[in-house]
Amino acid sequence: MQLTYSALPQEPAGGIAGWATGLVDTLGGPGAGLAIALENLFPPLPSEVILPLTGFAAGQGVLSLASALFWTTLGSVVGAVVLYWIGMAFGRDRMHTLWGKLPLVKASDLVRTEEWFAKHGTKAVFFGRMVPIFRSLISVPAGVERMPLHVFVMLTTLGSLIWNSILVMAGYWLGDQWETVETYVGFASKAVLVLVVVAVATYVVLRLRGTDRAQHRRSS
C-alpha cells in the first residue's frame, strides 16, 4: 500500500513530509531510518514531522510498527555516532585552542564544563536524546570527551528508542491527524530554544559585568 500525498493535506508535496513520504514509499523502514539519520546530522530536519509520519505510514500498512521503531532508532544511533566521531576527530586540544580565541570566555570555563560532563555525561547523553535541539548536539561533546563508544551507543539507543516510540506511536494512533504532534512538540522545541537564548544572554551579561569590574579594579 502506498502512502499518498493526499493523506497529507497540510504539507506540500515538496516539503519535509513529502520528502519523508517518498523515502518511506521507496525504501520502507530503511527509508525512515535514513530520514532520521539525516535529521540527526542536520537538526533543521524536524523529527517531530518525520517520526509521526512514519507512525502514520505504519498505521496505513506501508510498513510494520516494529519495522518503524527499529529503523528509526537505528537511524538515530547511526547519525549520533557520526557526530560522536566528528567530536572525537576535533579533539580536546583543538577545542581548547578554539575556546581560547572566543571572547567573554575563560579556559577555566571549559575545564569546568569538561568536569561536569565527566560527572554527568551519561545522564546528559541519555536524557539529551529526548530534548528537542540537543538530541544531535549532545553527541559532539561525548566524542570530544571520548566517552566509551559502547556506553555512548547504549545510552543513545535507549534514549532514542523512548523518544522515537512516543512520536511514532502518536502518529500511529492519530492517523491522518498525525500533524498535530508537530504542533505540540514544536512548542516544546521553541520553549527549549528560548531558555537557551535566555541562558546565553544571562551568561554574556554576567561575563561583561565581571570584565568591567576587573578593569575598574585595575584602573583604581
Side-chain angles (χ1 to χ4, degrees):
M1 178 178 181
Q2 188 177 42
L3 184 63
T4 61
Y5 294 120
S6 62
L8 309 170
Q10 296 186 9
E11 186 75 24
I16 296 297
W19 169 76
T21 297
L23 282 177
V24 175
D25 273 346
T26 304
L27 301 175
L34 175 60
I36 290 299
L38 293 174
E39 179 267 334
N40 275 261
L41 297 173
F42 306 101
L45 294 175
S47 65
E48 57 265 30
V49 171
I50 299 170
L51 290 170
L53 178 58
T54 302
F56 172 51
Q60 297 296 302
V62 177
L63 71 168
S64 69
L65 187 57
S67 177
L69 294 174
F70 171 79
W71 285 105
T72 55
T73 299
L74 180 61
S76 296
V77 174
V78 170
V81 168
V82 170
L83 291 175
Y84 172 92
W85 281 335
I86 290 173
M88 181 178 288
F90 192 75
R92 187 174 183 272
D93 292 340
R94 290 181 183 175
M95 180 64 77
H96 274 271
T97 300
L98 176 63
W99 191 267
K101 295 178 181 179
L102 297 175
L104 305 175
V105 298
K106 300 177 182 178
S108 58
D109 294 330
L110 182 55
V111 171
R112 282 195 293 268
T113 300
E114 291 171 340
E115 291 173 347
W116 181 90
F117 194 88
K119 185 176 181 180
H120 304 288
T122 53
K123 289 181 284 189
V125 170
F126 175 72
F127 290 107
R129 299 303 306 175
M130 293 174 268
V131 178
I133 300 172
F134 294 106
R135 284 192 302 276
S136 299
L137 299 180
I138 195 61
S139 302
V140 177
V144 170
E145 295 302 317
R146 295 182 180 271
M147 171 181 281
L149 182 59
H150 70 280
V151 174
F152 175 77
V153 169
M154 179 187 69
L155 294 169
T156 299
T157 300
L158 293 175
S160 298
L161 180 60
I162 293 172
W163 173 259
N164 292 358
S165 295
I166 291 171
L167 295 192
V168 168
M169 291 301 298
Y172 181 85
W173 289 110
L174 286 171
D176 58 8
Q177 298 300 312
W178 65 269
E179 69 275 3
T180 60
V181 180
E182 178 189 1
T183 302
Y184 290 108
V185 177
F187 288 147
S189 300
K190 290 181 176 64
V192 170
L193 183 59
V194 168
L195 289 175
V196 170
V197 170
V198 170
V200 171
T202 302
Y203 173 82
V204 170
V205 169
L206 292 176
R207 179 65 75 194
L208 287 172
R209 287 180 179 176
T211 302
D212 290 342
R213 290 195 193 100
Q215 291 176 346
H216 178 73
R217 281 194 292 268
R218 284 196 297 267
S219 62
S220 60

